[in-house]
Amino acid sequence: MKFSEFISDPISQAKHLMLIGHPVSHSVSPIMHNLALREYNLDISYVAVDVEAHELPSLIAHFNSDSFLGANITLPYKQTLFDAVDQHSDLANEMGVINCVQKTSHTLMGHNTDSYGFIKPLQLKGYDHLDSALIFGFGGAAQAVIHGLEQLGCDTIYVVSRNIDKHENDSHINLISYDEWPEYAEEVEIIVNTTPLGMHPNIDASPVQEENSIYLRDSLCYDIVYNPRQTKFLEQAKNAGATCMDGLPMLIYQAARSFELWTGKSFPVQHVEEHLSHVFPAHISSPKEP
């Protein structure tokens, strides 16, 4: 729904939660959250709203409406709306981006639940500590992954980027090129794809060239893409004998954390996972326990 349509629709006057971005038509967040809201018989709607840049002042004004209860924020506004809230969680402050707005009375709190979404599936599979990682991509999603890995104690992180000269290294991040990454693959425990390569509709793309896929063999390979669940990257990893994790659990757990912040209630993870498993069927075996 376009913002101009939303603001004149009766749904904007009733209690609601929002997904804010541009575009948002592809998102499955409304499926997840409306299912969870129905689980508790809450008289609240979750609606995806496509907001253009010139509409942001009107959107921010809408945050003061009594009917607005909170929001998720997706691209391209995770940084843009950082200063639109009154306070920030420590993690959001550290990252400089928000993907969740929690409204308490008339106070807006900005959170980042992407990092939680990334590490929770790892912890559920027994990965409570990781020493080393290699990440493809250095965009906004990579920042959440880096923070998550650091929370798991990871102190050696290689980031594969096409624009090394545009970034500065810090003590935890070692920037390397796509030509170099095979040299470091055997040193790391986990390899993560944070790029959109392999995402629908470009399902034949991967950050790994076919001749280099053998270097995935000894690692846990985690792709944060969830559509399709078996990406080209994970297909390469599986064929090389690696352990694989797809991005659907990350999507679900970042949503779970948002839902808990808004409602104080537990997210029906199993129910949502069962529903989305029909929407995005998996074609790879479940990850092996460490």
Side-chain angles (χ1 to χ4, degrees), residues 110-164:
H111 296 269
N112 190 296
T113 68
D114 286 331
S115 181
Y116 174 86
F118 172 74
I119 64 174
K120 186 64 176 179
L122 286 168
Q123 293 172 326
L124 291 173
K125 292 296 178 182
Y127 295 96
D128 294 313
H129 182 88
L130 291 166
D131 290 316
S132 54
L134 186 147
I135 301 170
F136 289 107
F138 202 23
Q143 302 303 321
V145 168
I146 289 168
H147 278 79
L149 289 168
E150 289 175 347
Q151 289 179 59
L152 293 179
C154 195
D155 56 11
T156 301
I157 300 175
Y158 299 101
V159 175
V160 187
S161 173
R162 299 193 188 282
N163 301 300
I164 294 178

Side-chain angles (χ1 to χ4, degrees), residues 82 88-97 143 147 150-151:
F82 185 82
H88 302 90
S89 69
D90 290 343
L91 181 58
N93 233 350
E94 185 179 349
M95 295 179 64
V97 294
Q143 302 303 321
H147 278 79
E150 289 175 347
Q151 289 179 59

Side-chain angles (χ1 to χ4, degrees), residues 101-117:
V101 177
Q102 176 191 24
K103 190 174 185 181
T104 307
S105 298
H106 294 287
T107 301
L108 300 175
M109 172 73 82
H111 296 269
N112 190 296
T113 68
D114 286 331
S115 181
Y116 174 86

Side-chain angles (χ1 to χ4, degrees), residues 41-279:
N41 295 312
L42 297 175
D43 189 20
I44 302 169
S45 297
Y46 184 103
V47 58
V49 181
D50 193 317
V51 182
E52 297 191 27
H54 72 271
E55 297 173 314
L56 289 175
S58 297
L59 170 73
I60 294 169
H62 179 72
F63 288 170
N64 294 317
S65 168
D66 289 338
S67 60
F68 172 79
L69 303 181
N72 283 132
I73 300 170
T74 189
L75 297 174
Y77 300 129
K78 291 185 178 185
Q79 284 182 301
T80 307
L81 290 174
F82 185 82
D83 292 326
V85 298
D86 304 306
Q87 300 174 23
H88 302 90
S89 69
D90 290 343
L91 181 58
N93 233 350
E94 185 179 349
M95 295 179 64
V97 294
I98 59 173
N99 77 324
C100 177
V101 177
Q102 176 191 24
K103 190 174 185 181
T104 307
S105 298
H106 294 287
T107 301
L108 300 175
M109 172 73 82
H111 296 269
N112 190 296
T113 68
D114 286 331
S115 181
Y116 174 86
F118 172 74
I119 64 174
K120 186 64 176 179
L122 286 168
Q123 293 172 326
L124 291 173
K125 292 296 178 182
Y127 295 96
D128 294 313
H129 182 88
L130 291 166
D131 290 316
S132 54
L134 186 147
I135 301 170
F136 289 107
F138 202 23
Q143 302 303 321
V145 168
I146 289 168
H147 278 79
L149 289 168
E150 289 175 347
Q151 289 179 59
L152 293 179
C154 195
D155 56 11
T156 301
I157 300 175
Y158 299 101
V159 175
V160 187
S161 173
R162 299 193 188 282
N163 301 300
I164 294 178
D165 294 339
K166 293 183 179 180
H167 306 296
E168 293 183 6
N169 280 359
D170 65 26
S171 57
H172 293 293
I173 300 169
N174 304 283
L175 287 170
I176 59 176
S177 71
Y178 275 82
D179 292 331
E180 294 176 297
W181 81 264
E183 301 172 28
Y184 299 91
E186 293 185 0
E187 297 180 23
V188 302
E189 296 170 87
I190 182 171
I191 298 177
V192 187
N193 176 35
T194 71
T195 77
L197 294 172
M199 183 184 296
H200 182 82
N202 300 313
I203 60 173
D204 293 326
S206 169
V208 174
Q209 293 183 346
E210 201 62 50
E211 62 268 25
N212 291 330
S213 60
I214 189 63
Y215 295 104
L216 302 173
R217 61 192 166 207
D218 296 323
S219 299
L220 166 64
C221 292
Y222 189 155
D223 198 329
I224 69 169
V225 170
Y226 62 86
N227 184 18
R229 292 181 69 179
Q230 180 174 272
T231 59
K232 177 69 173 177
F233 169 71
L234 290 185
E235 180 182 314
Q236 292 170 317
K238 180 186 176 185
N239 290 339
T243 302
C244 299
M245 291 185 68
D246 65 73
L248 189 61
M250 177 177 175
L251 176 76
I252 292 171
Y253 279 102
Q254 65 81 20
R257 182 65 182 132
S258 295
F259 187 82
E260 291 162 4
L261 288 167
W262 296 325
T263 68
K265 299 181 182 297
S266 298
F267 196 66
V269 169
Q270 185 173 355
H271 191 181
V272 171
E273 190 167 25
E274 288 173 357
H275 184 86
L276 291 186
S277 292
H278 295 295
V279 179

